[in-house]
Amino acid sequence: MKKQISVLLLGVMISMTSYQLKAQSEIKSGKDVVRAMHEKYEGRWYENITFEQETTFYGPNEEVQRTQIWYEAIKLPGRLAIKFDDLEGGDGILFKDGVQYGFADGEKIQETERIHDLLVLAFDVYGQSPDSTFRQLETAGYNLDEWYEDNWEGKAVYVVGTSEPSMTIPQFWIEKERLLFVRNITVGRQNSIQEVQFNKYEQLGDGWIAPEVIFIANGQKGLLEEYTNIETPDSLSDDIFDPEKFLGESW
């Protein structure tokens, strides 16, 4: 029996290794990286997730200025609801299908088109067609024809958006082994260099979540997000993501 189990485990390991080698050999562009991300978790990634987020804001010399609790709900693909301080309060942000809505003091004060590239890269890529992800990332400024391989925090990664190291070209970094988004670099206002890191990944069912997210501007940490009370409910009400009903909803 032990011999049979050992042979079975060996077969599984060989099969997984063969799959990884085949997947890596088929990477010829950034689009191939996106396809591989989707195919690896297709039908297995969670569709809904909620969590509380302790948000720490930093000032000059990375001194803590303030902290705030955000309550977040995500429904794949394309929907992210955030309420500040209080789930029953009137302040928050809603992202839905390429539009960002802002709310303050119980009123909608903002409605603007925006591709939330972090939402796409860390969540939506696993729950929508690769073609949809291609369009969104290209609209957000990433060149999916350019890519190279590198290392990040001791792990091999695909870097998509540039064919060589650069801090001035929009790019995103995907860990090769688990095909998870770990880093991006973009150019912000006044040509500032913006970097975001998704760290400390934890398995969540057949999917993953990075409970630590760091935002860096010109080499200085500006924002730290730390997730707790992470849950994957079977469903979330569509009303949460309706800009006309958002303020009256909680989760």
Side-chain angles (χ1 to χ4, degrees):
M1 178 63 73
K2 289 183 179 180
K3 183 177 180 180
Q4 290 177 334
I5 293 175
S6 297
V7 170
L8 178 60
L9 290 174
L10 179 60
V12 171
M13 292 174 64
I14 291 173
S15 176
M16 291 178 63
T17 301
S18 298
Y19 171 82
Q20 290 173 342
L21 290 173
K22 179 176 181 295
Q24 291 176 16
S25 69
E26 294 175 349
I27 301 298
K28 306 296 182 185
S29 70
K31 289 185 177 180
D32 290 336
V33 175
V34 170
R35 286 192 191 95
M37 294 171 72
H38 178 77
E39 290 173 3
K40 184 175 179 67
Y41 296 100
E42 185 175 12
R44 299 167 50 211
W45 198 272
Y46 49 82
E47 297 181 1
N48 307 294
I49 184 169
T50 63
F51 51 86
E52 295 178 19
Q53 173 182 302
E54 182 174 80
T55 310
T56 304
F57 298 84
Y58 295 86
N61 302 315
E62 297 188 0
E63 295 180 355
V64 175
Q65 290 188 323
R66 64 187 177 94
T67 61
Q68 187 178 35
I69 299 298
W70 295 3
Y71 298 88
E72 307 203 18
I74 298 174
K75 187 169 187 174
L76 275 59
R79 287 160 287 185
L80 165 62
I82 305 174
K83 288 199 173 182
F84 305 142
D85 298 315
D86 184 354
L87 265 175
E88 308 298 331
D91 300 330
I93 300 177
L94 174 65
F95 299 89
K96 182 181 180 183
D97 300 331
V99 179
Q100 174 180 320
Y101 304 88
F103 302 84
D105 299 323
E107 300 288 338
K108 185 172 70 173
I109 61 170
Q110 179 193 46
E111 181 175 341
T112 184
E113 292 186 2
R114 179 190 170 188
I115 299 297
H116 193 326
D117 54 345
L118 301 180
L119 179 63
V120 174
L121 288 164
F123 299 97
D124 287 346
V125 63
Y126 306 109
Q128 66 184 11
S129 72
D131 285 343
S132 294
T133 301
F134 299 158
R135 289 193 296 270
Q136 291 170 341
L137 294 179
E138 288 172 339
T139 299
Y142 297 100
N143 183 348
L144 301 184
D145 294 325
E146 300 291 338
W147 73 290
Y148 72 98
E149 297 185 30
D150 208 325
N151 288 282
W152 175 251
E153 301 295 334
K155 294 183 179 294
V157 295
Y158 298 113
V159 181
V160 178
T162 177
S163 58
E164 59 185 14
S166 170
M167 290 296 290
T168 60
I169 298 175
Q171 60 198 264
F172 57 89
W173 295 44
I174 305 299
E175 183 196 302
K176 289 177 67 174
E177 180 182 358
R178 297 176 295 181
L179 292 173
L180 301 174
F181 168 66
V182 293
R183 185 189 192 205
N184 81 332
I185 297 171
T186 57
V187 179
R189 296 176 182 176
Q190 299 180 336
N191 293 320
S192 60
I193 304 304
Q194 306 289 324
E195 176 182 348
V196 183
Q197 300 175 9
F198 274 54
N199 300 326
K200 301 181 180 180
Y201 269 98
E202 298 175 356
Q203 194 152 14
L204 199 59
D206 290 327
W208 297 83
I209 185 73
E212 178 185 271
V213 179
I214 301 175
F215 293 77
I216 299 168
N218 293 331
Q220 296 289 309
K221 181 163 61 177
L223 188 72
L224 170 66
E225 299 180 349
E226 297 174 289
Y227 304 165
T228 58
N229 297 325
I230 301 168
E231 298 182 359
T232 53
D234 292 335
S235 64
L236 286 171
S237 171
D238 287 336
D239 290 348
I240 294 171
F241 308 97
D242 183 333
E244 302 307 319
K245 300 178 180 179
F246 167 78
L247 289 170
E249 295 296 315
S250 60
W251 52 88

